[in-house]
Amino acid sequence: MSEHIVSKKVYFVIFGALIAGTLLTYVAALQDLDFIFHGANTVVALTIAVTKATLVVLYFMHVRYSTRLTWVIVAAGLFWLMIMFALTFSDYFSRGWLSYPR
Amino acid sequence: MEETLATPSETPRVNYLNARYGLKSWLLTKDHKRIALLYLGGVSLFFLLGGIYAMLIRIELLTPKGDLFQSQTYNKVFTQHGIIMVFFFLIPAIPAVLGNFLVPIMIGAKDLAFPRINLLSWYIYMLGGILTIWALLSGGVDTGWTFYVPYSTNFSNTYVVLAGLGVFVSGFSSILTGLNFIVTIHTMRAPGMTWFRLPLFIWSHYATSLIMILGTPVIAITVLLVALERIAHIGIFDPRLGGDPVLFQHMFWFYSHPAVYIMILPSMGVISELIANFSRKNIFGYSFVAFSSIAIAVFGFLVWGHHMFVSSQSIYAGMIFSFLSFAVAIPSAVKVFNWSATLFRGSVSYDTPMLYGLGLIGLFLIGGMTGLFLAAIGLDVHVTDTYFVVAHFHYVMVGGTLMGYLGGLHYWWPKISGRMYPESWGRFAALIIFVGFNLTFFPQFVVGYMGMPRRYHAYPDIPIWQVLNVMSTAGATILGFGMLIPMVYLIWSMRYGRAASANPWALPGLEWRTSSPPPTENFTVTPVVTWEAYEFAPPEELKVIGKLEPRDRADYPPDYPAYTES
Ligand code: HEM
Ligand SMILES: [Cu+2]
């Protein structure tokens, strides 16, 4: 395992970005963004959250400097998350399809 | 190659058990074998506790009236039975005890890749257990082991958060064990131990570890969300706040269906060892059995919705999940067929471990087949939340996992303890357990099909229902006594059992090529593997030697030529 030395500066910059993201989430939550399209608030919040998570994985967890095998593991984790989302949403999206006689 | 193997004459007097003494040498050990024994203590304790709850349930159901417990108390009893058995016995039992002990030895390694993390996993497990027991002592939980919302978030006034915390914490011990196994199997195999020479026990633990790593974080986050919802009403599951209670079921079963494979896969690994070794025959279709474990691990993640057919889940999603559930039964069936084919024309001996192995094939068959009944939506609507489901999962969890655990414990007991268990007591107990088990759970299929719901402390006064319940309670009593027998004689044998030779069963696997019990570093010399998995002596040689009675096995020449050369 080759150790990659990451300078403190990188950590502080990422930390700053995470704090900024948190504040941005807070500010965005106070605005009603529905005038853009319905549910825009959710999209904005999730985009910020995913960006932050990516930063943590790449820098704090050192994945950016890691071997291909590590990348494969990370990809597998994401793939499994996609499985969970895909099959869960197969429920939510198709719930309205069947019209019941009332 | 000969010189790499331990022969009984060179059995070292110092082994992992007597290398060091004192409490500290156990509590701070980094030896995977000692950690396995720590786990053995832990899971046995929880098994005993869970068993007491089981007996209480059965006594209550002896009569239709709820005369032993209030319904509230009964809810706590079955919940606590479920939580303890699932999270603190069935999930860790085989991987953390037998896997911990054997994975390094079977691949010819000195230890797991991360010995300290291994010890840490035991402490985390115990911490989770203590938190849960604390919840039980403070007043208990009554949500069912499934923690369904909105009951667990909005209505139950029992110790949901504390018990959930226990489950949350103990999950990390699974993750660490899985991580350790994967890294160890990838990087620490002895020279010559190629992937396709691995014993099937290792393949199934590899598959189990994948599930542990990929699935366990989801249950952790799910119980955490329940706790947050309960404490802070954040609105993930509460429709009034924009949440959805069915989302909980999706998240819970995304882990908990794969978790049933965490329980059964290691057991399948044990049984593959038992069937091949006690038939003295290479397993039929090695690579099919190996890859069916991986297939189960992967496809097991795609079927969770079969627990939700009546939850208001979309019928279209239900159809997908139903179809996929039928598909996942295929790799399980592959194993059952291949085990049976292995027995064909094998030189089968009926020692205690093999009795458990053969028992498992039959019981798992019934459990798995009734799983398919339940995976058919129409039939499931009829029997969901009845005793039919209870019977199904006990056939797979007790008939599958517990049988595999007991079989494996007996099979490797000489290696673990350095002593033989009393064979005739062993066979006797195995038969009692088999009979008791079937008497307990078969009537539940019938009464469940007739409509008796699960999770109630009382039932309508229908004579045949009571007859079936009395049978079940009688069976549970037999099963309970049956379970006590091995507990007694295994403990007895640690001191008074006959000393075991390095290879009491005369088998080729690596674990039988080091002394019993093994030295701390497992092998005095790094083994070089030059033989295939399950490479047995040709039948002519067996004929010359003749089939040995088990009582003679300990004196069996461990350097029997057919498996020390290749
Ligand atoms: C052959 C593959 C299997 C299939 C198709 C299958 C199918 C099912 C289905 C459809 C249910 C839901 C029934 C209902 O709630 O109405 C169920 C419940 C259950 N199964 Fe299986 N099963 C299989 C194997 C297993 C195995 C191997 C285990 C454990 C080792 C297991 C453990 C459980 C448990 C614990 C439940 C009940 C959970 C609860 O509601 O408390 N199953 N199974
Ligand atoms: Cu399932």
Side-chain angles (χ1 to χ4, degrees):
Chain A
M1 287 188 192
S2 58
E3 291 291 317
H4 187 280
I5 312 291
V6 187
S7 70
K8 273 191 192 159
K9 201 178 135 214
V10 174
Y11 286 127
F12 282 120
V13 169
I14 300 297
F15 181 67
L18 293 177
I19 295 294
T22 309
L23 292 176
L24 201 60
T25 312
Y26 174 70
V27 173
L30 296 179
Q31 314 298 321
D32 187 355
L33 302 178
D34 257 9
F35 67 90
I36 310 177
F37 58 87
H38 181 64
N41 276 85
T42 311
V43 174
V44 169
L46 279 176
T47 309
I48 301 173
V50 169
T51 313
K52 282 166 65 186
T54 311
L55 289 177
V56 171
V57 170
L58 287 181
Y59 292 95
F60 284 179
M61 294 169 80
H62 289 207
V63 168
R64 187 170 165 205
Y65 317 106
S66 301
T67 57
R68 267 163 196 273
L69 184 62
T70 311
W71 280 87
V72 171
I73 308 287
V74 173
L78 286 176
F79 182 69
W80 246 251
L81 191 66
M82 290 322 297
I83 292 179
M84 186 167 122
F85 284 179
L87 280 169
T88 303
F89 281 114
S90 82
D91 170 16
Y92 286 99
F93 286 146
S94 63
R95 268 194 208 170
W97 288 3
L98 194 67
S99 53
Y100 296 93
R102 284 167 203 278
Chain B
M1 196 205 77
E2 217 72 283
E3 73 282 356
T4 62
L5 303 172
T7 58
S9 52
E10 68 186 47
T11 295
R13 276 203 311 208
V14 179
N15 59 51
Y16 84 99
L17 288 171
N18 64 15
R20 283 158 71 219
Y21 288 99
L23 194 63
K24 216 177 110 190
S25 79
W26 283 89
L27 292 181
L28 296 180
T29 184
K30 281 174 279 164
D31 182 347
H32 66 103
K33 300 181 285 304
R34 285 187 165 213
I35 296 170
L37 289 191
L38 292 177
Y39 265 116
L40 178 63
V43 303
S44 305
L45 220 68
F46 284 107
F47 183 61
L48 216 62
L49 189 59
I52 293 172
Y53 282 120
M55 283 320 295
L56 293 177
I57 295 174
R58 284 318 319 165
I59 296 171
E60 168 63 79
L61 295 179
L62 202 51
T63 60
K65 278 203 230 38
D67 25 28
L68 183 60
F69 301 121
Q70 306 277 308
S71 51
Q72 259 284 315
T73 319
Y74 183 77
N75 291 351
K76 289 181 184 169
V77 170
F78 74 69
T79 299
Q80 289 160 187
H81 166 69
I83 291 179
I84 288 177
M85 286 300 201
V86 169
F87 295 109
F88 297 99
F89 177 71
L90 288 165
I91 287 179
I94 300 182
V97 178
L98 299 175
N100 232 332
F101 196 96
L102 289 153
V103 166
I105 303 185
M106 282 177 136
I107 66 173
K110 284 192 163 67
D111 206 314
L112 286 173
F114 308 114
R116 278 171 219 266
I117 287 186
N118 196 18
L119 181 63
L120 179 67
S121 85
W122 182 74
Y123 277 102
I124 292 177
Y125 164 73
M126 290 308 284
L127 179 67
I130 288 168
L131 285 171
T132 304
I133 289 184
W134 183 13
L136 307 192
L137 293 180
S138 326
V141 235
D142 66 348
T143 57
W145 76 280
T146 47
F147 295 104
Y148 269 18
V149 303
Y151 186 64
S152 61
T153 45
N154 293 9
F155 300 105
S156 170
N157 49 16
T158 55
Y159 290 79
V160 181
V161 174
L162 199 52
L165 196 64
V167 170
F168 175 83
V169 169
S170 78
F172 287 91
S173 99
S174 269
I175 295 175
L176 295 181
T177 302
L179 182 75
N180 229 332
F181 284 175
I182 289 184
V183 176
T184 307
I185 296 169
H186 269 278
T187 60
M188 295 176 66
R189 282 170 287 127
M193 181 56 95
T194 57
W195 280 90
F196 291 100
R197 281 178 174 171
L198 288 173
L200 290 163
F201 183 81
I202 303 293
W203 276 98
S204 70
H205 272 76
Y206 186 82
T208 309
S209 307
L210 290 177
I211 309 180
M212 285 172 157
I213 289 187
L214 291 167
T216 316
V218 180
I219 187 76
I221 207 72
T222 310
V223 291
L224 203 63
L225 284 173
V226 167
L228 284 177
E229 183 95 3
R230 207 178 148 81
I231 298 167
H233 308 288
I234 51 174
I236 302 277
F237 303 128
D238 188 344
R240 280 175 307 182
L241 301 170
D244 177 19
V246 177
L247 180 63
F248 171 84
Q249 298 187 24
H250 277 299
M251 294 178 72
F252 181 83
W253 290 114
F254 179 83
Y255 166 75
S256 292
H257 182 81
V260 309
Y261 293 114
I262 296 182
M263 305 173 208
I264 196 71
L265 274 170
S267 174
M268 289 171 155
V270 173
I271 300 307
S272 301
E273 294 296 313
L274 295 180
I275 299 291
N277 285 325
F278 285 88
S279 310
R280 309 196 67 79
K281 224 176 124 208
N282 191 359
I283 192 110
F284 180 82
Y286 172 96
S287 51
F288 274 86
V289 181
F291 281 115
S292 66
S293 293
I294 307 293
I296 287 175
V298 173
F299 293 113
F301 275 99
L302 310 179
V303 302
W304 77 81
H306 65 212
H307 294 272
M308 304 167 57
F309 289 147
V310 298
S311 69
S312 87
Q313 169 183 249
S314 140
I315 185 70
Y316 297 102
M319 275 150 57
I320 296 175
F321 281 124
S322 173
F323 172 77
L324 291 170
S325 303
F326 277 94
V328 80
I330 296 172
S332 305
V334 164
K335 288 195 194 273
V336 173
F337 283 126
N338 286 29
W339 293 330
S340 313
T342 307
L343 292 171
F344 181 64
R345 295 217 167 144
S347 162
V348 181
S349 48
Y350 298 93
D351 301 302
T352 309
M354 186 60 161
L355 293 185
Y356 285 109
L358 294 172
L360 181 140
I361 296 184
L363 300 180
F364 180 71
L365 190 70
I366 297 180
M369 296 287 266
T370 51
L372 292 177
F373 290 26
L374 295 171
I377 302 183
L379 187 54
D380 184 68
V381 171
H382 173 54
V383 292
T384 193
D385 281 332
T386 69
Y387 262 88
F388 192 91
V389 175
V390 175
H392 155 66
F393 67 73
H394 283 89
Y395 262 82
V396 269
M397 293 161 111
V398 181
T401 309
L402 184 65
M403 292 286 156
Y405 176 66
L406 289 174
L409 202 59
H410 283 84
Y411 173 50
W412 284 295
W413 191 250
K415 189 56 60 185
I416 294 172
S417 69
R419 303 284 178 158
M420 299 303 289
Y421 60 86
E423 179 62 34
S424 36
W425 277 107
R427 293 182 188 188
F428 175 68
L431 289 177
I432 295 285
I433 288 173
F434 185 80
V435 171
F437 170 80
N438 281 294
L439 188 58
T440 311
F441 292 106
F442 201 83
Q444 296 186 1
F445 278 126
V446 182
V447 78
Y449 194 80
M450 290 174 162
M452 178 170 164
R454 62 192 284 206
R455 295 181 168 172
Y456 284 88
H457 74 312
Y459 52 93
D461 195 356
I462 304 168
I464 182 68
W465 284 25
Q466 184 170 9
V467 170
L468 291 164
N469 273 290
V470 169
M471 284 166 78
S472 187
T473 302
T477 314
I478 297 176
L479 181 59
F481 278 113
M483 289 300 313
L484 290 180
I485 304 173
M487 270 192 202
V488 171
Y489 67 66
L490 288 180
I491 292 173
W492 171 89
S493 75
M494 289 200 276
R495 196 175 175 104
Y496 302 105
R498 216 161 23 74
S501 69
N503 190 357
W505 310 112
L507 295 174
L510 257 183
E511 77 270 34
W512 305 112
R513 302 186 189 224
T514 181
S515 53
S516 302
T520 302
E521 66 283 7
N522 294 344
F523 299 92
T524 35
V525 205
T526 304
V528 178
V529 181
T530 53
W531 60 90
E532 303 303 317
Y534 314 108
E535 193 174 303
F536 289 98
E540 312 81 66
E541 268 174 68
L542 267 184
K543 232 176 264 159
V544 176
I545 293 162
K547 253 178 80 179
L548 291 160
E549 279 307 305
R551 63 173 171 280
D552 304 327
R553 287 275 163 84
D555 314 322
Y556 199 94
D559 43 358
Y560 164 45
Y563 50 86
T564 50
E565 79 187 45
S566 45

